[in-house]
Amino acid sequence: MDKSVLVQYSAMKEEIKDIRRRIEKDRRELERLNKLIVVDSVTCGKKGKKPLRTVKVHGRPETAISRKEAALSMHLLQLEQRETELVELTVQAEEYINSIEKSELRIMFRLYYLDGLTWNQVAHRMNQAFPKRKYTEDGCRMRNNRFFEKNL
């Protein structure tokens, strides 16, 4: 295993966020379409060039609703598949992080890769956990880079 597992894990989390955003958008649109009533004027026959009469037709946009329902169900299926993949990637990422010898690096990697914190937030958390040491954003990032340069 290598860094690609950690990068893939982060990317998968972002993809799941995007799919959830799309699902929410589809649900809002579907709710709006279900409340919508479409009105149109229709002519009933013609006598020469003039219509005999016009009638107003009321209805719901069924084709738009069915398309949006199909998109929603597809996004829900995608979300379920991606969440299953994410669980597998989580296990792989945790195994990789647990294989690192230094406890300090394991903590930093968990905070950055698994919890999705920025390097600045990682440095603050590390300073809280180890008050006698001084961690900076650049220091944490450089330790990460050195680890992967050494272990690749």
Side-chain angles (χ1 to χ4, degrees):
M1 274 192 257
D2 59 354
K3 184 180 181 177
S4 65
V5 172
L6 301 175
V7 172
Q8 181 65 22
Y9 175 79
S10 298
M12 183 72 69
K13 280 178 35 177
E14 290 303 315
E15 183 180 8
I16 286 174
K17 284 180 192 175
D18 180 57
I19 293 172
R20 284 189 176 135
R21 182 189 56 79
R22 290 172 190 270
I23 288 171
E24 190 56 38
K25 179 182 169 194
D26 287 346
R27 284 189 175 145
R28 282 192 310 267
E29 183 69 16
L30 197 55
E31 187 178 310
R32 185 188 69 78
L33 287 172
N34 280 323
K35 292 178 183 177
L36 187 66
I37 295 178
V38 180
V39 179
D40 195 11
S41 294
V42 181
T43 60
C44 296
K46 289 188 176 187
K47 185 172 186 178
K49 292 187 176 186
K50 294 183 179 180
L52 293 175
R53 65 185 172 135
T54 58
V55 177
K56 283 190 176 180
V57 178
H58 301 274
R60 290 177 27 171
E62 295 296 332
T63 55
I65 290 173
S66 64
R67 269 190 245 127
K68 203 43 93 166
E69 286 173 341
L72 178 62
S73 64
M74 182 192 70
H75 286 134
L76 287 170
L77 183 62
Q78 273 184 339
L79 179 65
E80 186 178 314
Q81 291 172 344
R82 296 302 181 271
E83 285 179 337
T84 303
E85 291 174 25
L86 183 66
V87 169
E88 294 169 6
L89 274 174
T90 303
V91 169
Q92 291 177 5
E94 287 176 349
E95 285 176 357
Y96 180 71
I97 290 173
N98 287 333
S99 70
I100 298 171
E101 290 179 24
K102 294 185 177 182
S103 173
E104 187 178 25
L105 278 175
R106 285 195 302 264
I107 294 169
M108 285 192 333
F109 282 19
R110 277 190 201 104
L111 292 172
Y112 183 73
Y113 291 106
L114 298 180
D115 296 342
L117 300 179
T118 65
W119 285 118
N120 189 27
Q121 292 169 328
V122 170
H124 286 295
R125 292 269 181 96
M126 292 299 287
N127 284 327
Q128 289 172 351
F130 303 100
K132 292 184 178 182
R133 298 206 52 198
K134 178 69 177 153
Y135 293 91
T136 63
E137 176 181 357
D138 292 332
C140 292
R141 185 176 35 253
M142 288 306 294
R143 289 191 75 179
N144 174 65
N145 293 342
R146 277 185 246 129
F147 174 80
F148 287 115
E149 285 173 5
K150 181 181 171 185
N151 293 317
L152 287 181

